[in-house]
Amino acid sequence: MADLKFSFAETFLCSAFAACFAEFCTIPLDTAKVRLQLQKKAVGDEVNLPKYSGLLGTMATIAKEERLSALWKGIVAGLHRQCIYGGLRIGLYEPVKTLLVGADYVGDIPLYQKIIAALLTGALAITVANPTDLVKVRLQAEGKFPAGIARRYYGTLDAYYTIVREEGLAALWTGLGPNIARNAIVNAAELASYDQVKQTILKIPGFSDNVLTHLLAGLGAGFFAVCIGSPIDVVKSRMMGDSGYKNTLDCFIRTLRNEGFLAFYKGFVPNFTRLGSWNVVMFLTLEQAKKAFRGELYYD
């Protein structure tokens, strides 16, 4: 992924395109993940069984009750998010790495410097993109409404407008704290691990900078990201999908007290399936987009 011959603008465009393509391909898995994370465990009521169960079961329930297209709820906001967040976090990664180690640095950049760079770019990017993330989660969280009950939002633009009108402009940055923590950490897990795994694979005899290497590095990036980021992701989804929590700590404590520690890994399988596939699609597309963007120069 590292290639100093690409300017920030070129990397931003390639990254935004790759992130949007990956988002479109995998958002049904993300919708299932959000529904599972927002599904609260019944307390003192064994009659009400969970509505959603498992990745495929959740997707099937959504498609059956709300039509197949419901799996792509929030796609417009998701594409808004990826254009901004995906472009910034990856576009800034190389410049920030260079800033940390110095322009004259020669050799492999230490892993801890890659992690710091990815933490910084992830935090900055999601601070800008938080409104798009909020709207995406709100739209994904909406299930099938009973007859006579009006929907909260009638589309992406209406969601932005309604939130600002009813909750104020600052509400677009609801959940910013856990979102910064989650995305900074996940970004570090994704970019630094992809960078490191790819660098390690290329040192193995017989491996080259090709699709197989990108595939393996993308899977590694997705696995590390979901293992590290799941607890923060659950808190973020709950705060954005339910305004009943006072703050991040309140959400964390109430979830832990009412549902136990494993609640923070609710939706782990769909989350890994989604993040793993998302990273594979995104990094494969990114590498090919950069190749197409600059042609043979990519291989110099």
Side-chain angles (χ1 to χ4, degrees):
M1 184 177 65
D3 196 330
L4 297 180
K5 294 174 183 176
F6 285 85
S7 68
F8 167 74
E10 290 169 336
T11 305
F12 180 90
L13 289 174
C14 292
S15 303
F17 171 75
C20 285
F21 182 70
E23 185 77 7
F24 181 81
C25 292
T26 63
I27 199 170
L29 300 171
D30 192 48
T31 300
K33 178 208 75 173
V34 169
R35 294 288 181 91
L36 285 167
Q37 288 178 334
L38 292 177
Q39 180 171 258
K40 298 176 183 177
K41 183 178 179 182
V43 179
D45 185 359
E46 298 181 357
V47 177
N48 294 329
L49 297 175
K51 181 178 182 179
Y52 303 116
S53 178
L55 172 62
L56 295 179
T58 300
M59 292 176 68
T61 299
I62 294 171
K64 180 180 178 181
E65 293 186 352
E66 306 168 45
R67 296 189 303 178
L68 186 64
S69 60
L71 291 169
W72 274 266
K73 274 185 176 178
I75 183 60
V76 175
L79 295 179
H80 290 170
R81 178 185 186 272
Q82 292 304 337
C83 273
I84 300 170
Y85 175 68
L88 284 176
R89 73 182 182 109
I90 299 172
L92 291 171
Y93 179 61
E94 291 299 328
V96 171
K97 274 200 307 182
T98 302
L99 181 65
L100 290 174
V101 300
D104 298 328
Y105 185 86
V106 178
D108 294 335
I109 296 176
L111 178 59
Y112 79 92
Q113 296 279 33
K114 297 175 183 177
I115 293 174
I116 293 173
L119 285 170
L120 292 173
T121 61
L124 175 62
I126 200 58
T127 299
V128 177
N130 196 81
T132 64
D133 210 13
L134 175 74
V135 169
K136 175 189 168 187
V137 171
R138 291 276 183 98
L139 291 173
Q140 286 179 313
E142 287 193 330
K144 183 179 180 180
F145 285 79
I149 302 297
R151 303 183 66 84
R152 282 199 299 174
Y153 312 115
Y154 292 91
T156 305
L157 295 180
D158 178 66
Y160 285 118
Y161 175 73
T162 302
I163 292 169
V164 172
R165 186 189 66 211
E166 296 182 355
E167 304 172 47
L169 183 63
L172 290 173
W173 278 268
T174 297
L176 180 61
N179 215 11
I180 287 178
R182 185 259 181 191
N183 284 279
I185 291 171
V186 168
N187 193 49
E190 287 180 351
L191 296 189
S193 63
Y194 181 84
D195 214 351
Q196 194 69 23
V197 171
K198 180 181 173 182
Q199 178 182 303
T200 302
I201 291 174
L202 290 176
K203 292 179 179 179
I204 301 173
F207 280 90
S208 61
D209 193 2
N210 56 21
V211 171
L212 177 60
T213 298
H214 304 157
L215 174 66
L216 295 174
L219 281 172
F223 179 75
F224 283 114
V226 74
C227 286
I228 296 170
S230 276
I232 301 171
D233 194 39
V234 169
V235 172
K236 181 213 75 169
S237 292
R238 294 212 170 173
M239 285 196 68
M240 288 184 166
D242 184 350
S243 58
Y245 298 108
K246 297 177 182 177
N247 49 47
T248 304
L249 184 61
D250 177 57
C251 180
F252 180 86
I253 292 174
R254 285 169 60 181
T255 301
L256 180 64
R257 182 177 64 237
N258 295 335
E259 304 172 54
F261 179 75
L262 290 180
F264 294 113
Y265 284 89
K266 201 173 253 187
F268 181 88
V269 173
N271 203 8
F272 173 64
T273 303
R274 198 263 173 167
L275 265 183
S277 59
W278 192 95
N279 275 278
V280 168
V281 174
M282 196 281 289
F283 282 115
L284 282 174
T285 305
L286 175 60
E287 300 278 10
Q288 295 306 308
K290 291 171 75 175
K291 173 182 173 182
F293 200 90
R294 297 289 289 274
E296 292 299 318
L297 184 59
Y298 178 70
Y299 292 104
D300 289 351

